[in-house]
Amino acid sequence: MSEPRSSPSPLPVSPAGVSYSSLPPRGLNYTSQRLAEPVPDLPTDPPSPHGRSSPLPSDSPTPGAVPLAETRMIIALDYGTTFTGIAYLSIGSRQKEADPESLAEDIRVLQGWPTHESEKVPSEISYSPSPKGCRQWGYDIDDHSRVLKWTKLELEETRDRSAELRTLAETLYGLRLMDLSESKVIENDIPRHLAKEPEDIVKDYLDLIADQTLDEILNNVGRHVPENIPIDMIITHPAKWSDRALNSTYRAVRAAFSRDLFPKIRDVSFVSEPEACAHYTLREAWQKDHLRFRKNDCFIVVDAGGGTVDLASYKVVSMNYDKKQIKLQEVGYPIGDKCGATCIDRSFDDHVRRRLGPEDWDKLTDAADQDSATGGHSIVKPKLRMLHGRFEAIKHGFDGKDQKLGFPVQLPRGIGSEDKPEEGILNGAIKITVEDLKDMFKQSVDKTLFLIGQAATHIEIVERLKVKKIFLSGGFARSQYLFDRVQAFGRTRRIDVERGEQCWSAVARGAIIKSLGVYTEKPLLVKDCPRHFGIKVRTQFAAYKHSDMAPEMDIEGVQWATDQIRWFISKGDGIFPNKPLVATYDCHWSMKASEFPSPNKKASHNSAEVFRDVVFIASSQDEAPIRFGNINKATDEVVSLRCDLTKVPDGQWGEFVSPNKQVGKYLKFWVKVEIHVFEKVEVMITSGGKVLASQELTLAGPKPR
């Protein structure tokens, strides 16, 4: 039987072919009871998709099997667009009787980064060589390096076919421009980013974060810990984060924080950034005695970061000040947008570009450099990076107040050498006025206020409740200008606005509290997908790729390479609680019109010509084979699903005329392959909503023979 091929315009499928279903969020329960005691009055709503856990080996214990007072360590990773933070907590069996307040006090934040002491490290990496011997990531990057930044946002991007072609063309152009002379090879000055996907770059960066985390544990907790103490990990993500981005983040983290570095690593879980922020912010407010809530009061947590601004809203269900207990329920769903501090940097670039003109701007961005192509990544060249560094202090210190002299920013040498007073360029510096800065902040601040207004309006109009307080947190929250604007917004609605003292590390600290399950329910665990899942297909023949096989020509005169496999779900993908992995693929079959039985030829109905097979493959190999002949018959599972083309509904097939006169008229039949992976694997072949064939398999597959 012939293999299916893709339709001319298939539905978009993510690289992993992944989409998730979702369930409504679950309430939160804050309490200060002892760890060994059960948390009272847990809500019975379905668990939140925003507080989900992450996959680990299939032999990992379930949350209920892990005693709360067990000796273990929790690591929280807050991988951000502009900065990344690590928090950790070591729990000893002696702390069995400790209350959550004392445990929360023991949360540590990694601050010893290469060349800097700080609660966070820049989410930047460079593949350029460093004559100075810099480590080429975080704070320690050579001045003359090509720096990749904002890569996290690339995980979220979904490109259409034309965008992918543009990226490919850009990559090929960059490769053509590369001077791979002996000197360049010896100097190791090869732009490796051109051949890397965003997930690869994130993984490379997180490898360095994992190494630094290991050093922190070895030096400050104990050299025996990684090999002897169970380690659980919790990862934060933006409120609005696609399934593709979530899965890519998970795969990169699992590869970086591997068992090679952490032999006892065990459970990995996820929590949304605004929810993690809420856990820590509330605890901090309670400590300051600022938590003056009554039943049905609502508050909004704003996590203003570098790349995204995320919001979550909560309602007080009950409160007991004597027992220090508060029960919360999430109101609506977390919302967010890509309007963090990086928008200010982009606006600054636009401002400088307009003021300098094209010639000086090309010099600033090294447009003539041999590595002018980016491969689709966000890259900052050395001169522009230097200018960003000089602007950073102005951005952080801006409070919106009048500065009559403005803010001069020194330009790199050789740029802006000609004075242009009308453009604010004098003596090799560009002048930034208060109004200029307000314009640069406008998109970020206005969008943040819009999100807050959207959340407050939903609470007041839809829920008919009162917003009592706005908690502002995250790196962007340190901006006095943003804080003042949010306060002014709050005054118009009689809403108090508060900013935490440790707002930059609140997300990582709150993630630890979430993982403890002390102030809230523990996050659910996610399983690793144990196998690759795909189908046998034929792809358009390309001599450079299929030189070892003869092409097959179809009735339309198109040459195809047979015996190929298209994988939709990969081994190691995350299977999240209550969210099955779902992949869909549109394809079609063709046949001569003369071979298809007419209604009067019922005897022909059993002819093999009217049946087609979809060959489904499940492979447990680490590297998925690309050809059907390379499957491992001892461990891989192959299932054929036979489809009767006479069952294809009207409207899902059509008659065409072939340019080949010997073929004449032919028919096309369109079908959809659907793969669902959760506790089991379900494969269906449908056409116009009608099931033509289906099959169920176990998730792990048969035991090796």
Side-chain angles (χ1 to χ4, degrees), residues 7-32:
S7 298
S9 300
L11 292 178
V13 179
S14 66
V18 178
S19 64
Y20 296 91
S21 60
S22 60
L23 289 177
R26 182 178 184 175
L28 302 178
N29 189 50
Y30 281 74
T31 178
S32 295

Side-chain angles (χ1 to χ4, degrees), residues 27-60:
L28 302 178
N29 189 50
Y30 281 74
T31 178
S32 295
Q33 290 188 314
R34 296 173 183 266
L35 290 176
E37 298 174 358
V39 180
D41 302 323
L42 280 177
T44 57
D45 304 2
S48 168
H50 309 290
R52 45 194 180 249
S53 308
S54 95
L56 266 224
S58 55
D59 60 349
S60 296

